[in-house]
Amino acid sequence: MEAVDSAIARLGTQRSELIALLQAIQAEYRYLPPEALVYLSQRTGIPEADITGVATFYGQFRLRPAGRHTVKVCVGTACHVKGAELTYEAFQRELGIAPGDDTDSAREFTVEKVACLGCCMLAVAVQSGQTIYANVTPSKVKAVIRDIRASADVTDGGVKGLRGQGVKGGGADSEAHPLTPEPLNPLTPPPPSPPPPARWGAAARL
């Protein structure tokens, strides 16, 4: 249990550090192994029931093994209207993930729904690592999976979309277009505010 010992060495054994300890353990294993929670209880003196209660209360923690890549499909309002559920189902179908599960049998991919990625203009938005994939329709899911696999050992980031017809309409040839960085348009600065109205009274000039 080197991961637990390392986390305790950095964070201590206080109950107030429990969430941080669990985050450190999950960062190492990609989930919280039962034996790690038992060992954590023994090292810190925090009851197992309390540790399990925290681990099951917060959605950030996993009690089942996760895949090497985590794919987050936004199902917020804008993405839902654009068909996020169909995109999510396409990921599960392409990866052979069994109904009711979120990870493929090879533990290569974990596919999760998230409430919002803050990218409403890119609906349906999908995130893997530090990369956001824009306008992901079911027909583009295969290309996204290929790109994630190809970028597995590369420090990536930014926003990606399928250039060409696939970006907007998800045409039949959308998968023929490689995924390339799709920069966001810079925000237009707001117009200057009008001057405040003059105050009527002794200080106002007529």
Side-chain angles (χ1 to χ4, degrees), residues 114-200:
V114 294
C116 184
L117 289 175
C119 305
C120 298
M121 71 172 73
L122 306 178
V124 174
V126 172
Q127 181 179 9
S128 178
Q130 300 300 312
T131 301
I132 298 290
Y133 294 91
N135 312 117
V136 182
T137 58
S139 64
K140 300 175 185 176
V141 165
K142 285 184 179 180
V144 172
I145 293 172
R146 285 199 300 267
D147 188 73
I148 293 172
R149 284 173 170 153
S151 305
D153 299 322
V154 178
T155 301
D156 212 334
V159 179
K160 292 187 176 183
L162 290 174
R163 293 194 184 277
Q165 294 180 355
V167 175
K168 300 242 182 216
D173 64 341
S174 61
E175 293 181 8
H177 299 279
L179 286 162
T180 51
E182 185 80 10
L184 291 173
N185 293 325
L187 294 175
T188 303
S193 302
R199 293 184 179 179
W200 297 104

Side-chain angles (χ1 to χ4, degrees), residues 77-91:
T77 302
C79 292
H80 174 75
V81 171
K82 289 292 188 71
E85 288 292 337
L86 296 177
T87 297
Y88 174 79
E89 292 170 1
F91 272 105

